[in-house]
């Protein structure tokens, strides 16, 4: 939970529900189970189905206990999983938050070129959504992160994506 803020929002519940229904062999409480244990230990409070750290110092301490590389992987993988949920539900707010999580993970968290390309594409879509909402600062941020996911030789191997990201960034700068 510390990787995602001081309290849970609907995205954690949606993620657990979506992934649980698409993977019935997986325990349906894979996320809420550990959070409920943290409530029992006094680290978290639970009210109306929402989990919250007892205070910011506990949240910061929990976050600092996670190895920085592992922390990036948590952000990246959580973001990728949420992107698919957001796309299925056509939820722009959740999608933008999910791409933000991917970006907190950064390019080093991507396993391979396919994940880097997916992250770049998600950032392109997020940049377009932010620009449509006239949020040029966020749009530029998404385009810039999208560029950071491009691999060496991207102008040759992924010209259209490269051009779209650079054009979007230039238009929002």
């Amino acid at each position: 939970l510390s990787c995602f803020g001081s309290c849970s929002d609907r995205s954690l519940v949606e993620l657990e529900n979506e992934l649980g229904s698409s993977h019935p062999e997986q325990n349906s409480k894979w996320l809420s189970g550990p959070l409920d244990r943290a409530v029992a230990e006094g680290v978290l409070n639970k009210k109306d189905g929402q989990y919250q750290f007892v205070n910011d110092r506990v949240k910061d301490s929990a976050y600092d206990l996670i190895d920085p590389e592992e922390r990036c992987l948590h952000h990246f993988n959580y973001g990728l999983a949420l992107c698919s949920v957001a796309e299925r539900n056509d939820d722009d707010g959740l999608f933008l938050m999910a791409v933000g999580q991917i970006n907190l993970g950064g390019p080093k968290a991507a396993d391979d070129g396919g994940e880097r390309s997916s992250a770049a594409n998600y950032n392109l879509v997020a940049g377009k959504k932010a620009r449509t909402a006239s949020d040029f600062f966020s749009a530029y941020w998404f385009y810039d992160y999208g560029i950071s996911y491009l691999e060496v030789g991207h102008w040759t191997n992924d010209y259209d994506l490269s051009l779209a990201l650079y054009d979007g960034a230039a238009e929002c700068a």
Side-chain angles (χ1 to χ4, degrees):
L1 180 63
S2 64
C3 287
F4 317 117
S6 60
C7 64
S8 67
D9 59 7
R10 65 185 174 80
S11 64
L12 286 173
V13 174
E14 285 180 17
L15 180 61
E16 183 172 66
N17 291 340
E18 286 279 331
L19 294 179
S21 64
S22 62
H23 297 89
E25 72 282 356
Q26 189 174 20
N27 181 348
S28 65
K29 298 292 185 184
W30 65 273
L31 184 58
S32 60
L35 293 175
D36 287 335
R37 280 194 300 280
V39 169
E41 293 174 13
V43 176
L44 298 176
N45 293 323
K46 183 177 180 182
K47 183 177 179 185
D48 299 326
Q50 186 178 40
Y51 297 91
Q52 181 175 356
F53 280 96
V54 292
N55 62 49
D56 285 340
R57 287 182 141 180
V58 172
K59 176 193 71 94
D60 293 341
S61 295
Y63 192 74
D64 290 341
L65 285 173
I66 303 170
D67 177 69
E69 288 181 20
E70 187 178 332
R71 199 180 309 152
C72 289
L73 289 173
H74 285 303
H75 285 296
F76 190 83
N77 292 327
Y78 177 66
L80 286 178
L82 272 181
C83 275
S84 63
V85 171
E87 286 179 322
R88 272 195 304 276
N89 296 331
D90 196 30
D91 186 336
D92 287 348
L94 183 60
F95 182 80
L96 294 173
M97 197 255 323
V99 177
Q101 284 292 321
I102 290 171
N103 293 341
L104 287 172
K108 290 182 181 178
D111 282 343
D112 56 28
E115 280 189 349
R116 290 177 70 93
S117 181
S118 292
N121 275 299
Y122 283 140
N123 273 282
L124 176 62
V125 172
K128 288 178 179 179
K129 289 178 185 292
R131 189 171 67 195
T132 298
S134 299
D135 185 354
F136 297 103
F137 179 81
S138 294
Y140 178 80
W141 184 77
F142 287 122
Y143 290 131
D144 192 44
Y145 261 101
I147 290 167
S148 74
Y149 284 102
L150 295 173
E151 296 194 74
V152 174
H154 59 88
W155 285 109
T156 303
N157 301 328
D158 219 348
Y159 180 81
D160 291 337
L161 177 59
S162 300
L163 183 62
L165 286 167
Y166 276 92
D167 277 352
E171 291 171 3
C172 293

